[in-house]
Coordinates of all heavy atoms in Angstrom, one line a residue:
R390 N 15.1 14.3 -3.5 CA 16.5 14.4 -3.5 C 17.1 13.2 -2.6 O 16.4 12.8 -1.7 CB 17.0 15.7 -3.0 CG 16.6 16.9 -3.9 CD 17.3 18.2 -3.5 NE 17.1 18.6 -2.1 CZ 16.0 19.2 -1.7 NH1 15.0 19.5 -2.5 NH2 15.9 19.6 -0.4
P391 N 18.3 12.8 -3.0 CA 18.8 11.6 -2.2 C 19.0 12.0 -0.7 O 19.3 13.1 -0.4 CB 20.2 11.4 -2.9 CG 20.1 12.0 -4.2 CD 19.2 13.2 -4.1
Y392 N 18.8 11.0 0.1 CA 19.1 11.1 1.5 C 19.5 9.8 2.1 O 19.3 8.7 1.5 CB 17.9 11.7 2.3 CG 16.7 10.9 2.3 CD1 16.5 9.8 3.2 CD2 15.6 11.1 1.5 CE1 15.4 9.0 3.3 CE2 14.4 10.4 1.6 CZ 14.3 9.3 2.5 OH 13.2 8.6 2.5
T393 N 20.1 9.8 3.3 CA 20.5 8.6 4.1 C 20.0 8.8 5.5 O 20.1 9.9 6.1 CB 22.0 8.5 4.1 OG1 22.4 8.3 2.7 CG2 22.4 7.2 4.9
L394 N 19.5 7.8 6.1 CA 19.1 7.8 7.5 C 19.7 6.5 8.1 O 19.3 5.4 7.8 CB 17.5 7.8 7.6 CG 17.0 7.8 9.0 CD1 17.3 9.2 9.7 CD2 15.5 7.6 9.0
I395 N 20.5 6.8 9.1 CA 21.2 5.7 9.8 C 20.7 5.7 11.2 O 20.8 6.7 12.0 CB 22.8 5.9 9.8 CG1 23.3 6.0 8.3 CG2 23.5 4.8 10.5 CD1 24.7 6.5 8.2
S396 N 20.2 4.5 11.6 CA 19.6 4.4 13.0 C 20.3 3.4 13.8 O 20.7 2.3 13.3 CB 18.1 4.0 12.8 OG 17.4 5.0 12.1
D397 N 20.4 3.7 15.1 CA 21.0 2.7 16.0 C 20.0 1.7 16.5 O 18.9 1.6 16.0 CB 21.7 3.4 17.2 CG 20.7 4.1 18.1 OD1 19.5 3.9 17.9 OD2 21.1 4.8 19.1
D398 N 20.4 0.9 17.5 CA 19.5 -0.2 17.9 C 18.3 0.2 18.7 O 18.4 1.3 19.4 CB 20.3 -1.3 18.7 CG 19.8 -2.7 18.4 OD1 18.9 -2.9 17.6 OD2 20.3 -3.6 19.1
N399 N 17.2 -0.5 18.6 CA 16.0 -0.3 19.4 C 15.6 1.2 19.3 O 15.3 1.9 20.2 CB 16.3 -0.6 20.9 CG 16.5 -2.0 21.1 OD1 15.8 -2.9 20.6 ND2 17.6 -2.4 21.9
M400 N 15.5 1.6 18.1 CA 15.1 3.0 17.7 C 13.6 3.0 17.5 O 12.9 2.1 17.0 CB 15.8 3.4 16.4 CG 15.6 4.9 16.1 SD 14.2 5.2 15.1 CE 14.6 4.4 13.5
R401 N 13.0 4.2 17.9 CA 11.6 4.4 17.7 C 11.5 5.9 17.2 O 12.1 6.8 17.8 CB 10.7 4.2 18.9 CG 9.2 4.5 18.7 CD 8.4 4.5 19.9 NE 7.0 4.8 19.7 CZ 6.1 5.1 20.6 NH1 6.5 5.2 21.9 NH2 4.9 5.4 20.3
H402 N 10.7 6.1 16.2 CA 10.4 7.4 15.7 C 9.0 7.5 15.1 O 8.5 6.5 14.6 CB 11.5 8.0 14.9 CG 11.7 7.4 13.6 ND1 12.4 7.9 12.5 CD2 11.3 6.2 13.1 CE1 12.5 7.1 11.5 NE2 11.8 6.0 11.8
I403 N 8.5 8.7 15.1 CA 7.2 9.0 14.4 C 7.6 9.7 13.1 O 8.4 10.6 13.1 CB 6.3 9.8 15.2 CG1 5.8 9.0 16.4 CG2 5.1 10.4 14.4 CD1 4.9 9.8 17.3
V404 N 7.1 9.2 12.0 CA 7.3 9.9 10.7 C 6.0 10.3 10.0 O 5.0 9.6 10.0 CB 8.0 8.9 9.7 CG1 8.2 9.5 8.3 CG2 9.4 8.5 10.3
L405 N 6.0 11.6 9.6 CA 4.9 12.1 8.8 C 5.3 12.2 7.4 O 6.5 12.6 7.1 CB 4.4 13.5 9.3 CG 4.1 13.7 10.7 CD1 3.6 15.1 11.0 CD2 3.1 12.7 11.2
M406 N 4.5 11.8 6.4 CA 4.8 12.0 5.0 C 3.6 12.6 4.3 O 2.4 12.2 4.5 CB 5.1 10.6 4.4 CG 5.6 10.7 2.9 SD 6.3 9.2 2.3 CE 4.8 8.2 2.0
F407 N 3.9 13.6 3.5 CA 2.8 14.4 2.9 C 3.3 15.0 1.6 O 4.5 15.3 1.5 CB 2.3 15.5 3.8 CG 3.4 16.2 4.6 CD1 4.0 17.3 4.1 CD2 3.8 15.7 5.9 CE1 5.0 17.9 4.8 CE2 4.8 16.3 6.6 CZ 5.4 17.4 6.0
P408 N 2.5 15.2 0.6 CA 2.9 15.8 -0.6 C 3.6 17.2 -0.4 O 3.1 18.0 0.4 CB 1.6 16.0 -1.5 CG 0.7 15.0 -0.9 CD 1.0 14.9 0.6
R409 N 4.6 17.5 -1.2 CA 5.3 18.7 -1.0 C 4.3 19.9 -1.3 O 4.4 21.0 -0.7 CB 6.4 18.8 -2.0 CG 7.5 17.8 -1.7 CD 8.9 18.2 -2.3 NE 8.8 18.6 -3.7 CZ 9.8 19.2 -4.3 NH1 10.9 19.5 -3.7 NH2 9.7 19.5 -5.6
S410 N 3.3 19.7 -2.2 CA 2.4 20.7 -2.5 C 1.4 21.1 -1.3 O 0.8 22.1 -1.4 CB 1.5 20.3 -3.7 OG 0.8 19.1 -3.4
S411 N 1.4 20.3 -0.3 CA 0.5 20.6 0.8 C 1.1 21.6 1.8 O 0.4 22.1 2.7 CB 0.1 19.3 1.6 OG 1.3 18.7 2.1
I412 N 2.4 21.9 1.6 CA 3.0 22.9 2.5 C 3.1 24.2 1.7 O 3.8 24.3 0.6 CB 4.4 22.5 2.9 CG1 4.3 21.2 3.7 CG2 5.1 23.6 3.7 CD1 3.7 21.4 5.1
D413 N 2.5 25.3 2.2 CA 2.5 26.5 1.4 C 3.6 27.4 1.8 O 3.5 28.6 2.2 CB 1.1 27.3 1.6 CG 0.9 27.6 3.1 OD1 1.4 26.9 4.0 OD2 0.1 28.6 3.3
L414 N 4.8 26.8 1.7 CA 6.1 27.6 1.9 C 7.0 27.3 0.7 O 6.9 26.3 0.1 CB 6.8 27.1 3.2 CG 6.0 27.4 4.5 CD1 6.7 26.7 5.7 CD2 6.0 28.9 4.8
P415 N 7.8 28.3 0.4 CA 8.7 28.1 -0.8 C 9.6 26.9 -0.7 O 10.2 26.7 0.4 CB 9.5 29.4 -0.8 CG 8.7 30.4 0.0 CD 8.0 29.6 1.0
T416 N 9.7 26.1 -1.8 CA 10.5 24.9 -1.8 C 11.9 25.3 -1.5 O 12.6 24.5 -0.8 CB 10.3 24.2 -3.1 OG1 8.9 23.9 -3.3 CG2 11.1 23.0 -3.2
A417 N 12.4 26.4 -2.1 CA 13.8 26.7 -1.9 C 14.1 27.0 -0.4 O 15.2 26.7 0.1 CB 14.2 27.9 -2.8
D418 N 13.2 27.7 0.2 CA 13.4 28.0 1.7 C 13.3 26.7 2.5 O 14.2 26.6 3.4 CB 12.3 29.0 2.2 CG 12.4 30.4 1.6 OD1 13.5 30.6 0.9 OD2 11.5 31.2 1.8
L419 N 12.4 25.8 2.2 CA 12.4 24.6 3.0 C 13.6 23.7 2.8 O 14.0 23.0 3.6 CB 11.1 23.8 2.6 CG 9.8 24.3 3.1 CD1 8.6 23.5 2.6 CD2 9.8 24.1 4.7
G420 N 14.3 23.9 1.6 CA 15.5 23.2 1.4 C 16.6 23.6 2.4 O 17.5 22.8 2.7
E421 N 16.4 24.8 3.0 CA 17.4 25.2 4.1 C 17.2 24.4 5.4 O 18.1 24.3 6.2 CB 17.2 26.7 4.4 CG 17.5 27.6 3.2 CD 17.3 29.0 3.6 OE1 17.2 29.3 4.8 OE2 17.3 29.9 2.6
L422 N 16.0 23.7 5.5 CA 15.7 23.0 6.7 C 16.0 21.5 6.7 O 16.0 20.8 7.7 CB 14.2 23.2 7.1 CG 13.8 24.7 7.5 CD1 12.4 24.7 7.9 CD2 14.7 25.2 8.6
T423 N 16.2 21.0 5.5 CA 16.4 19.6 5.4 C 17.7 19.2 6.1 O 18.7 19.9 6.2 CB 16.6 19.1 3.9 OG1 17.6 19.9 3.3 CG2 15.3 19.3 3.1
A424 N 17.6 18.0 6.8 CA 18.8 17.5 7.6 C 19.3 18.5 8.6 O 20.5 18.7 8.8 CB 19.9 17.0 6.7
T425 N 18.3 19.3 9.1 CA 18.6 20.2 10.2 C 17.9 19.8 11.5 O 16.7 19.5 11.5 CB 18.2 21.6 9.8 OG1 18.8 22.1 8.6 CG2 18.4 22.6 10.9
R426 N 18.7 19.7 12.5 CA 18.1 19.3 13.8 C 17.3 20.4 14.5 O 17.8 21.5 14.7 CB 19.2 18.8 14.8 CG 18.8 18.5 16.2 CD 19.9 18.0 17.0 NE 19.5 17.9 18.4 CZ 19.8 18.8 19.4 NH1 20.4 19.9 19.1 NH2 19.4 18.6 20.6
L427 N 16.0 20.1 14.7 CA 15.2 21.0 15.4 C 15.1 20.4 16.8 O 14.4 19.4 17.1 CB 13.8 21.1 14.8 CG 13.8 21.5 13.3 CD1 12.3 21.7 12.8 CD2 14.6 22.8 13.1
P428 N 15.8 21.0 17.8 CA 16.0 20.3 19.1 C 14.7 20.2 19.9 O 13.8 21.1 19.8 CB 17.0 21.1 19.8 CG 17.0 22.5 19.1 CD 16.6 22.2 17.7
A429 N 14.6 19.2 20.8 CA 13.4 19.0 21.6 C 13.1 20.1 22.5 O 11.9 20.3 22.8 CB 13.7 17.7 22.4
N430 N 14.0 21.0 22.9 CA 13.7 22.1 23.8 C 13.3 23.3 23.1 O 13.0 24.3 23.7 CB 14.9 22.4 24.7 CG 16.2 22.8 23.9 OD1 16.1 22.9 22.7 ND2 17.3 23.0 24.6
R431 N 13.2 23.3 21.7 CA 12.7 24.4 21.0 C 11.2 24.6 21.3 O 10.5 23.6 21.3 CB 13.0 24.2 19.5 CG 12.8 25.4 18.6 CD 14.0 26.4 18.8 NE 15.3 25.9 18.5 CZ 15.9 25.8 17.3 NH1 15.2 26.2 16.2 NH2 17.1 25.3 17.2
A432 N 10.8 25.8 21.4 CA 9.4 26.1 21.9 C 8.4 25.4 21.0 O 7.5 24.8 21.4 CB 9.2 27.6 21.9
M433 N 8.5 25.6 19.6 CA 7.6 25.0 18.7 C 7.6 23.5 18.8 O 6.5 22.8 18.6 CB 7.8 25.5 17.3 CG 7.3 26.9 17.0 SD 5.5 27.0 17.3 CE 4.8 25.8 16.2
C434 N 8.8 22.9 19.0 CA 8.8 21.4 19.1 C 8.1 20.9 20.3 O 7.4 19.9 20.3 CB 10.3 21.0 19.1 SG 11.2 21.2 17.6
Q435 N 8.2 21.7 21.4 CA 7.5 21.3 22.6 C 6.0 21.4 22.5 O 5.2 20.8 23.2 CB 8.0 22.2 23.8 CG 9.4 22.0 24.2 CD 9.8 22.8 25.4 OE1 9.1 23.7 25.8 NE2 11.0 22.5 25.9

Side-chain angles (χ1 to χ4, degrees):
R390 299 191 298 281
Y392 65 79
T393 298
L394 183 65
I395 303 169
S396 301
D397 67 5
D398 212 6
N399 295 316
M400 187 272 292
R401 181 187 178 197
H402 63 166
I403 290 174
V404 176
L405 306 183
M406 186 166 75
F407 40 87
R409 296 203 309 168
S410 59
S411 63
I412 298 290
D413 61 333
L414 293 171
T416 302
D418 290 352
L419 283 173
E421 298 179 13
L422 297 181
T423 55
T425 298
R426 173 176 172 263
L427 307 183
N430 61 2
R431 195 71 59 84
M433 281 302 301
C434 290
Q435 291 182 350

